[in-house]
Every structure is written in C-alpha cells, then in structure tokens.
Amino acid sequence: MAEQQEQITLQNPDQTVPVSVDHPSQDLDRPSNHNLPKFLSSARLKYVKLGYHYLISNALYLLLVPVLGISSAHLSTLTARDLAQLLDRPRFNLITVVLFSTLMVFLVTHYSMTRPRKVYLVDFACYKPDPAQICTLETFMERSELITFFTKENLAFQRRMLERSGLGQRTYLPEALFRVPPTLCMAEAQAEAEAVMFGAIDQLLAKTGVKAEDIGILIVNCTLYKPTPSLSAMIVNHYKLRWNVLSYNLGGMGCSAGLISIDLAKQLLQVHPNSYALVVSMENLTLNWYFGNDRSMLVSNCLFRMGGAAILLSNRSPNRRRSKFQLIHTVRTHKGSDDKSYGCVFQQEDEKKKISVSLSKDLMVVAKEAMKTNITTLGPVVLSMSDLLLFFMTLAARKVFRIKIRPYVPDFKLAFEHFCIHVGGRAVLDEMEKNLELTKWQMEPSRMTLYRFGNTSSSSLWYELAYLEAKGRIRKGDRTWQIAFGSGFKCNSAVWRALRTVDPAKEKNPWMDDIHEFPVYIP
C-alpha cells in the first residue's frame, strides 16, 4: 500500500513510476493492538456534507420532475371546448405556445447536454493461471528452504503466517518463482504480464463479441511492474488498437488502483460519447518477490498471488440490454496529506539493500480513518431516507442540543445486497465484518477469494464478483458494493446495480470448475 510516488502516464511517453507493493495486513505472529474501532459511530459532519454534494448537484433535475408532472396533469384535463376557446384568442394563444415551447426546448436541451451519461459494465473476465502454477503451502515452504535466502527463524515465521493467512492450497505463482534458484529477469516478468493481461482480455473479447478496434479508451493499472514501453503500449501493440485510442497507465497506487481506474474510465466516458473503455487491473510478482529476512517485509510473500482482470465499460445506450451492471456511484478518499497515512506502508531497502515493503504499526489505525471517511461520504447517497432521517436527528441531538444519546449507526446491509471487500488480509476482513455487522454469507465472496486465489491486488474485487455470479446470487436490481484500500493511504468505493439476473450455467469464469466445493471452512 505504500507509495513513494503516484502518477498517471499517457501513452507517449510510455513510462510509469517505481512503486511499491500494497498489502493491508499485519504481523500475524504477534497480537495486534490496532484493531479497527467502531468507525461507523464516529462520523464527522464534514464528510457527511461531501455525500450530500452528490444530491445537491442534481437538485435542478429533481425539482423539474414535479413541475413537469403538474404541467402534464393540467394539460391532460383540457377538453375540446377549452381548446376551441383558446383558438378564439389567437394572439394570446400564440404567445403562450411560443413561450412554453421555448422554455421546454431550453430545459430539454440543457438536460440533454449536462446530464451524466450512464456507464454500463458490459462484462468482465478474470485470469486463471495454468494448473502447473498452483502453489500449495508445502510447495511454498519447500522452495523457500531450497533457495537458502531465509534464516530458520524466518522460515518458521513464514510457515506460521501462511497457516494463519486464510490462503488455501490452490493459489498461483508465476513460473519463474518455482525454479531453484528463481529466474528473476525482465523477460520472465514480461512473460507473466502478457499471460495475465492477454489471457483476461482474450476471454473478455470472446464473451462480449466486441472487436479490439472498437475500444476507444484503455486504462491499465499495475503497482510494481514498470516496463518501457508501458503495459498499455503492450496491449495496443498486441491487439492493434486504433491510432487515436486514449491510453493511460497507472502506477504506484496500490490495491485501490482498480477502482481508481473505474472512476477514471467513468469520467472519460462522460466526455467521449458512444465509446467502449477497457480497464485492465493486475500485479506482477516476478521482479518483486522479497528474498530477505526483515519480517515486516516478508508479509507480502505470504499473501500476494498471481492474477488479473479485464473489465469492459460502455456509455452506449444500446449496450444496456446486454450489459450486466450499471455504475451508480464512485467515491474516492485520499489521506496522503497526513504524514502517518502516507508512510504507514513504505517501499524501501532493508539492511542488505534488498527492496520491499515495510509495514508501520499504525497501518490498522490509518485504514480505519480512510474507511470511515469513505463510508461516511458514501452513506448519504445510498442509504434509505428513514436511515438518513434517524442519522441526522441523532447527530443534531448530539451536536446542537448536547443530548447524551448513542449515535445512530446506519445499516448498510439494507443499502446493498452484496459486498466485495478487497482481500488485503484476514485481519482486515475480520474487522470489516465486525464493524459493518456483516453476516458470514455476506463475507463469503471475500473470504473464499482469499482462500482460493490469495491477494491478487487490485483485481481481487473482480474475483469476488465472479464468485457471486458463479453461485447464482446476482439478481436483477441487486446492488453490489466494492470497497478497496491502497497505499498513500487511499480507500475507494464503487456501487453497481445489476441490470439482469446472471445465469451461472451460461457463465465462464475462474470459479466454474470447482464452485460446488465452496464455501469451505477456514480454521
């Protein structure tokens, strides 16, 4: 999650900035004293105001609805006699008609020109590596012992981490890390990147029937791997995308970069009509595995695994019929102005000049603050009116009238049917479950994704959504909340509404071969 720099680079020049790995975990070898407090009960008014900005910005359109309704109702009461009387007064009738028509044309034109374009998620695909790349816990420890980089104490530490991490026996690693010694070179890293990106995109294009030349916007995010030309250039070259494609390469933004990419695509689709946007989220492990003995840096080896996702968005109205979801809200929170938040997870060198990520003891506290801000901002636009009324009544009683009553905690389970929480680590999932008062069923997609695929960085949210589809849980009208956090420190949310019921029998995703085995019990 730590980042020394954050940068969005355009296709020319193709270059990204050195960045760090992102993992919201903690040292599982010792108990934590930084558990998340009840952040829903300590909302700040300034963050609530941010949420209401979304409502106020659309107030004009909300006010026009009753006006148009009243006008339509009045016009529907006119009889033939009333129309005849109006025709007897041609001058008055002409002026009225002209003024009314001008007003209506102005309002309709203004609304058409300024209203946000709807953004649809046509489909998405998650990459599933070859079975030969499965890394069991025993294989992980065997390779770690053979390469002789780690002390006996740290080998034991890694074993304890793996046993408590929530990862299962079928996560994936790139081929280079299975070799003894590991083959760490640019060629192997590029091979991993191509396998993940092209594998996910090929599957996505096959599912949607969209041609590569129809894609007008391309956004790729990867925190660590920074080749030149960039990852986005690799995709443009491989699929021969058109010369005027809007290409972006996001680096250094950690596990939250997937939703940042979605938000960027949403903004671009507002100004480029009739367009497709392709978002690719991934991480690259080959050149970023840690071969040292600093325990604060060994956590990423035990959590991160190979994976990636490709998502196709569109603002074309005809695509609504065949799209799976509509993007309803995106909320981004950045706490980087605070030094403690900025440095809570930091890429740096250890004593032997080996680069990896160091975790601060303040990580859980920083995560709490970022999530509290994000959730408080999101609340006013997704909660029911009754929830909002109770919230503001108790807030006014506490802040204005100084009445000592318990703060009202909104029930987010009433606002969403499904939750996709980034699988940063088992400890964070435990705290999110406790503080949002979620059920085991609602946490199942996150926990099973951590178990089956591990932490695949920014793409993990899409493995979770794929799990929901494979289980046949997505029904028309269902609302899904994706929330992720990353270096900097950032917390980002996206809210989707299902446009149709997803039939698992017609789906092709990485869960379909063994979905009948889930959920599993994780001790």
Side-chain angles (χ1 to χ4, degrees):
M1 277 175 281
E3 60 188 304
Q4 292 174 318
Q5 297 182 20
E6 293 183 5
Q7 181 171 344
I8 299 176
T9 59
L10 293 177
Q11 180 69 19
N12 187 15
D14 289 311
Q15 189 174 356
T16 50
V17 177
V19 291
S20 64
V21 78
D22 173 22
H23 50 80
S25 182
Q26 62 181 12
D27 188 343
L28 300 181
D29 193 43
R30 57 179 182 271
S32 170
N33 294 321
H34 299 281
N35 290 337
L36 291 175
K38 291 284 185 179
F39 50 81
L40 285 181
S41 63
S42 55
R44 296 182 182 177
L45 187 58
K46 66 177 181 179
Y47 299 136
V48 177
K49 290 179 180 178
L50 290 175
Y52 272 93
H53 168 73
Y54 291 94
L55 297 179
I56 298 302
S57 61
N58 294 307
L60 175 63
Y61 306 122
L62 295 176
L63 292 174
L64 284 177
V65 172
V67 173
L68 293 175
I70 294 172
S71 300
S72 301
H74 179 68
L75 290 174
S76 65
T77 61
L78 293 177
T79 63
R81 183 177 180 181
D82 295 330
L83 293 174
Q85 290 179 350
L86 287 175
L87 292 174
D88 290 337
R89 294 179 289 176
R91 182 173 177 274
F92 174 76
N93 183 48
L94 180 62
I95 294 174
T96 303
V97 170
V98 169
L99 289 176
F100 182 77
S101 300
T102 302
L103 177 62
M104 290 301 297
V105 168
F106 171 77
L107 291 175
V108 171
T109 303
H110 176 74
Y111 175 76
S112 301
M113 295 289 289
T114 59
R115 71 183 179 92
R117 290 187 173 91
K118 294 181 179 180
V119 176
Y120 304 111
L121 192 160
V122 182
D123 213 330
F124 67 97
C126 298
Y127 176 68
K128 186 176 183 179
D130 190 89
Q133 296 174 259
I134 289 177
C135 180
T136 65
L137 304 188
E138 292 75 19
T139 301
F140 184 97
M141 292 308 305
E142 178 189 346
R143 294 298 189 276
S144 297
E145 291 171 3
L146 288 175
I147 59 177
T148 69
F149 283 117
F150 308 109
T151 64
K152 289 184 178 181
E153 293 77 13
N154 281 333
L155 285 171
F157 169 76
Q158 290 183 80
R159 185 180 296 277
R160 291 194 299 272
M161 284 282 295
L162 287 169
E163 291 172 350
R164 304 175 189 179
S165 65
L167 273 67
Q169 293 280 46
R170 286 183 290 172
T171 58
Y172 300 91
L173 285 177
E175 293 180 6
L177 295 178
F178 282 97
R179 303 189 184 107
V180 180
T183 310
L184 307 182
C185 62
M186 287 293 292
E188 291 291 344
Q190 183 163 338
E192 179 192 350
E194 290 177 351
V196 174
M197 293 192 304
F198 300 162
I201 295 173
D202 287 346
Q203 184 181 341
L204 178 63
L205 296 180
K207 290 172 71 174
T208 60
V210 173
K211 298 179 180 179
E213 55 265 28
D214 293 334
I215 296 170
I217 299 168
L218 171 64
I219 303 171
V220 183
N221 68 267
C222 181
T223 297
L224 295 173
Y225 186 48
K226 42 194 181 299
T228 300
S230 69
L231 295 172
S232 59
M234 290 168 58
I235 294 174
V236 172
N237 178 262
H238 182 80
Y239 292 96
K240 308 304 177 186
L241 302 187
R242 63 195 197 207
W243 65 271
N244 62 344
V245 63
L246 299 176
S247 174
Y248 298 86
N249 204 95
L250 277 63
M253 307 193 85
C255 294
S256 65
L259 294 185
I260 293 174
S261 298
I262 295 295
D263 182 68
L264 176 59
K266 168 189 169 184
Q267 303 301 328
L268 291 170
L269 287 171
Q270 296 305 310
V271 294
H272 296 281
N274 202 34
S275 297
Y276 282 111
L278 173 62
V279 174
V280 180
S281 295
M282 60 166 289
E283 196 50 80
N284 191 285
L285 303 179
T286 299
L287 289 180
N288 299 285
W289 205 251
Y290 178 60
F291 295 103
N293 286 286
D294 187 324
R295 290 193 177 186
S296 68
M297 297 181 177
L298 281 171
V299 177
S300 60
N301 288 10
C302 300
L303 287 179
F304 277 86
R305 294 297 182 265
M306 186 180 182
I311 305 98
L312 186 66
L313 304 174
S314 175
N315 57 11
R316 298 181 176 186
S317 298
N319 282 332
R320 188 183 191 281
R321 284 186 185 178
R322 65 193 192 101
S323 296
K324 287 183 174 180
F325 301 91
Q326 180 180 342
L327 182 59
I328 306 301
H329 301 292
T330 54
V331 176
R332 292 173 56 181
T333 301
H334 204 309
K335 308 292 284 187
S337 59
D338 176 67
D339 291 341
K340 185 170 67 174
S341 298
Y342 174 74
C344 69
V345 183
F346 216 86
Q347 186 183 30
Q348 60 187 17
E349 296 176 329
D350 64 9
E351 294 178 351
K352 295 186 177 181
K353 304 301 179 182
K354 294 181 180 180
I355 299 175
S356 189
V357 173
S358 176
L359 297 179
S360 165
K361 63 180 182 180
D362 298 318
L363 175 60
M364 295 298 286
V365 175
V366 168
K368 177 266 297 185
E369 289 296 329
M371 284 187 283
K372 181 178 71 174
T373 303
N374 188 271
I375 290 173
T376 308
T377 306
L378 180 67
V381 295
V382 298
L383 294 172
S384 65
M385 189 57 67
S386 58
D387 257 344
L388 291 175
L389 210 55
L390 288 170
F391 176 79
F392 276 104
M393 287 174 61
T394 56
L395 186 66
R398 287 167 53 83
K399 300 295 184 180
V400 179
F401 301 103
R402 305 295 181 183
I403 301 175
K404 293 183 178 180
I405 58 174
R406 287 186 60 187
Y408 176 71
V409 181
D411 188 356
F412 278 86
K413 297 190 294 294
L414 299 177
F416 306 107
E417 282 73 34
H418 309 291
F419 296 80
C420 294
I421 302 167
H422 169 59
V423 293
R426 187 171 183 172
V428 176
L429 293 181
D430 290 342
E431 292 299 329
M432 289 292 288
E433 177 181 353
K434 181 177 68 175
N435 285 281
L436 289 176
E437 299 178 355
L438 301 179
T439 65
K440 301 295 182 183
W441 186 87
Q442 289 163 331
M443 291 296 299
E444 187 180 306
S446 299
R447 294 197 185 278
M448 294 304 102
T449 297
L450 180 62
Y451 180 85
R452 178 64 180 85
F453 293 98
N455 183 347
T456 60
S457 190
S458 56
S459 65
S460 67
L461 296 173
W462 301 102
Y463 287 89
E464 296 171 40
L465 191 56
Y467 180 88
L468 290 168
E469 291 186 349
K471 279 293 185 181
R473 296 182 183 179
I474 300 296
R475 303 291 178 183
K476 183 178 180 180
D478 282 0
R479 297 154 297 178
T480 301
W481 178 20
Q482 291 180 322
I483 182 169
F485 26 83
S487 53
F489 192 91
K490 300 179 291 295
C491 180
N492 303 311
S493 289
V495 178
W496 305 89
R497 181 169 59 234
L499 298 176
R500 58 183 171 89
T501 298
V502 177
D503 183 359
K506 298 179 180 179
E507 283 303 307
K508 182 180 180 181
N509 72 41
W511 292 94
M512 298 312 300
D513 294 337
D514 49 11
I515 189 62
H516 59 279
E517 300 176 11
F518 294 92
V520 299
Y521 171 70
I522 304 175

